[in-house]
C-alpha cells in the first residue's frame, strides 16, 4: 500500500479515516477539497486543480481523500489501493451535520450551516454518484479494493494494521 484513495459519500468520514490511515502508515495525506477550494470559499480553476493533482500523483506515495468523480479514473489508474466508505445515507447526513462549526484540516474554512444544496447532494449520492463509482471500480480488478459498509468495519481495519 503506497498509493491510496479514500472515497465515499460526503459525511461518511473519509477525511477521518484517511488521517488515521496516514498516521498508521506514515503515507502523506492530501485532501482534494484543499486542492479545489480556496479559503475565501471560491475555487481554483479546473486547470489549476488538475495541475496540483498531477503533482501529488507524481509522488512515490500518498493517500488522497475525496471523490471528485471527474478525476477518479486518473486516480484509479495511479493508485494501488482503494477504500470505499459505502455507509447508509442517515450516517452520512449525520456526519456532515456534526462537522458544522468545526475547524477541519481537510477544508480551508469552517462550515457555518448545513447548506440545502449540499444536503441534497448527499441525499442524491447513493443513486447518482455511487453507481458510477462502483462501475469505475469494476474496471480495475487488479487494485486492492476494500469496501466498508459501517464505521465499525473501518475502525476494526484501522486497529488491525
Amino acid at each position: 500500500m503506497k498509493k491510496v484513495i479514500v472515497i465515499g459519500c460526503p459525511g461518511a468520514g473519509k477525511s477521518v479515516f484517511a488521517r488515521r490511515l496516514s498516521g498508521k502508515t506514515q503515507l502523506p495525506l492530501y485532501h482534494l477539497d484543499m486542492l479545489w477550494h480556496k479559503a475565501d470559499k471560491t475555487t481554483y480553476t479546473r486547470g489549476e486543480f488538475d495541475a496540483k493533482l498531477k503533482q501529488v500523483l507524481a509522488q512515490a506515495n500518498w493517500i488522497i481523500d475525496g471523490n471528485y468523480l471527474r478525476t477518479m479514473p486518473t486516480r484509479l489508474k495511479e493508485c494501488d489501493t482503494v477504500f470505499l466508505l459505502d455507509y447508509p445515507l442517515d450516517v452520512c447526513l449525520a456526519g456532515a451535520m456534526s462537522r458544522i462549526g468545526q475547524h477541519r484540516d481537510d477544508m480551508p474554512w469552517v462550515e457555518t450551516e448545513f447548506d440545502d444544496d449540499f444536503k441534497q447532494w448527499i441525499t442524491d449520492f447513493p443513486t447518482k454518484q455511487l453507481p458510477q463509482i462502483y462501475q469505475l471500480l469494476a474496471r480495475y480488478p487488479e487494485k486492492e479494493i476494500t469496501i466498508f459498509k459501517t464505521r465499525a468495519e473501518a475502525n476494526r481495519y484501522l486497529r488491525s494494521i
Side-chain angles (χ1 to χ4, degrees):
M1 180 170 27
K2 293 184 181 240
K3 296 182 176 186
V4 180
I5 63 172
V6 180
I7 55 179
C9 186
K14 295 180 300 296
S15 297
V16 171
F17 178 87
R19 191 169 33 258
R20 290 180 63 200
L21 184 64
S22 176
K24 294 225 174 221
T25 62
Q26 299 305 302
L27 295 172
L29 173 58
Y30 300 92
H31 303 284
L32 291 182
D33 282 341
M34 294 297 285
L35 300 181
W36 178 243
H37 295 289
K38 296 180 182 181
D40 65 1
K41 298 188 179 182
T42 62
T43 59
Y44 291 98
T45 67
R46 188 179 276 200
E48 290 169 322
F49 173 81
D50 290 349
K52 289 191 285 184
L53 178 58
K54 185 177 180 180
Q55 288 178 338
V56 172
L57 293 173
Q59 295 180 31
N61 50 45
W62 37 257
I63 297 171
I64 299 175
D65 149 46
N67 289 319
Y68 292 75
L69 201 55
R70 179 181 70 80
T71 66
M72 199 172 293
T74 302
R75 288 178 285 130
L76 282 167
K77 286 177 193 167
E78 297 295 327
C79 77
D80 55 49
T81 306
V82 178
F83 292 100
L84 170 59
L85 282 54
D86 184 3
Y87 299 164
L89 178 59
D90 62 323
V91 170
C92 298
L93 286 168
M97 190 174 302
S98 73
R99 64 189 188 199
I100 302 301
Q102 304 296 316
H103 173 76
R104 300 165 32 204
D105 60 358
D106 60 312
M107 184 64 84
W109 68 78
V110 175
E111 296 169 300
T112 57
E113 64 179 329
F114 195 12
D115 177 78
D116 286 337
D117 290 338
F118 186 51
K119 184 176 182 179
Q120 190 62 53
W121 175 260
I122 295 170
T123 301
D124 292 341
F125 188 88
T127 56
K128 292 188 176 178
Q129 298 286 311
L130 199 55
Q132 293 178 64
I133 290 171
Y134 273 104
Q135 287 175 355
L136 283 169
L137 293 178
R139 295 181 192 161
Y140 297 92
E142 73 281 6
K143 306 296 181 180
E144 182 69 33
I145 299 172
T146 303
I147 300 169
F148 298 118
K149 294 291 189 171
T150 67
R151 286 199 174 125
E153 288 176 353
N155 289 334
R156 274 193 299 277
Y157 173 82
L158 289 167
R159 283 192 304 272
S160 77
I161 59 171

